């Protein structure tokens, strides 16, 4: 299979993509677009819940998400606050403000239980994949 892919790439370089050039900026934009769309909302919420086990501001949360490679809200940071507000209404996240007006978010007990259920589901699915691979 590897040889077939290498041959296909050589043929495509000589024909279809011969005159096509991408600048580094264009490559970066393509990678960002792919990254933004490749993660489900459930996965995004899981990342947020993991980070909110300890209280954080929205800004801290955004920086940590970017460090994890979650670029869903890059350039549209307000959408993160919309999701945080939705989770607050659902009772999985609690928010509080300090005297300077800075909002801090943390996971509620309901959010912690939901996170634990997700971890359990992941462990079970990994176990089931391992079983299938051993057959």
């Amino acid at each position: 299979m590897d040889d077939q892919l290498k041959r296909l790439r050589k043929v495509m370089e000589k024909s279809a993509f011969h005159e096509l050039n991408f600048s580094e900026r264009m490559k970066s934009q393509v990678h960002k677009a792919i990254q933004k769309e490749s993660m489900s909302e459930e996965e995004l919420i899981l990342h947020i819940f993991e980070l909110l086990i300890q209280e954080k501001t929205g800004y801290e949360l955004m920086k940590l998400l970017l460090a994890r490679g979650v670029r869903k809200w890059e350039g549209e940071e307000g959408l993160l606050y919309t999701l945080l507000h939705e989770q607050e209404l659902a009772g999985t996240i609690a928010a509080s403000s300090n005297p300077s007006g800075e909002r801090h978010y943390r996971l509620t007990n309901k959010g912690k239980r939901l996170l634990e259920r997700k971890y359990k589901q992941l462990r079970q699915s990994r176990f089931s994949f391992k079983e299938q691979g051993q057959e």
Side-chain angles (χ1 to χ4, degrees):
M1 183 69 168
D2 240 1
D3 291 333
Q4 290 173 335
L5 291 175
K6 286 178 185 177
R7 282 183 281 179
L8 176 63
R9 182 177 181 183
K10 284 182 184 179
V11 170
M12 291 183 83
E13 285 174 352
K14 291 179 184 176
S15 60
F17 298 113
H18 179 66
E19 294 180 21
L20 185 61
N21 292 316
F22 283 102
S23 68
E24 287 304 314
R25 183 173 162 262
M26 292 169 101
K27 288 178 186 177
S28 175
Q29 288 175 336
V30 169
H31 287 285
K32 284 180 183 179
I34 291 170
Q35 181 64 32
K36 279 186 175 183
E37 295 182 17
S38 65
M39 195 173 290
S40 72
E41 186 170 332
E42 186 174 318
E43 289 172 307
L44 291 168
I45 291 172
L46 184 61
H47 280 289
I48 290 169
F49 281 14
E50 289 172 337
L51 292 169
L52 289 180
I53 289 174
Q54 294 181 332
E55 188 175 85
K56 293 183 181 45
T57 64
Y59 178 74
E60 291 171 322
L61 186 58
M62 179 61 75
K63 282 179 32 180
L64 291 168
L65 288 167
L66 287 171
R68 285 184 170 203
V70 178
R71 305 215 180 292
K72 176 80 173 174
W73 300 288
E74 197 170 33
E76 302 174 295
E77 287 79 8
L79 296 175
L80 171 62
Y81 291 96
T82 302
L83 181 64
L84 289 171
H85 182 68
E86 288 171 359
Q87 292 303 310
E88 190 177 359
L89 292 175
T92 57
I93 291 176
S96 60
S97 297
N98 64 15
S100 66
E102 188 177 60
R103 288 187 63 82
H104 292 262
Y105 301 91
R106 66 174 169 74
L107 210 53
T108 63
N109 287 334
K110 180 179 179 180
K112 289 175 184 176
R113 287 190 304 271
L114 184 60
L115 181 60
E116 185 55 41
R117 272 197 306 266
K118 292 296 176 190
Y119 281 152
K120 188 176 180 180
Q121 289 172 354
L122 283 172
R123 284 191 300 268
Q124 288 173 345
S125 68
R126 286 183 184 151
F127 183 71
S128 123
F129 281 129
K130 285 180 182 178
E131 285 179 342
Q132 291 175 5
Q134 292 176 358
E135 293 178 343

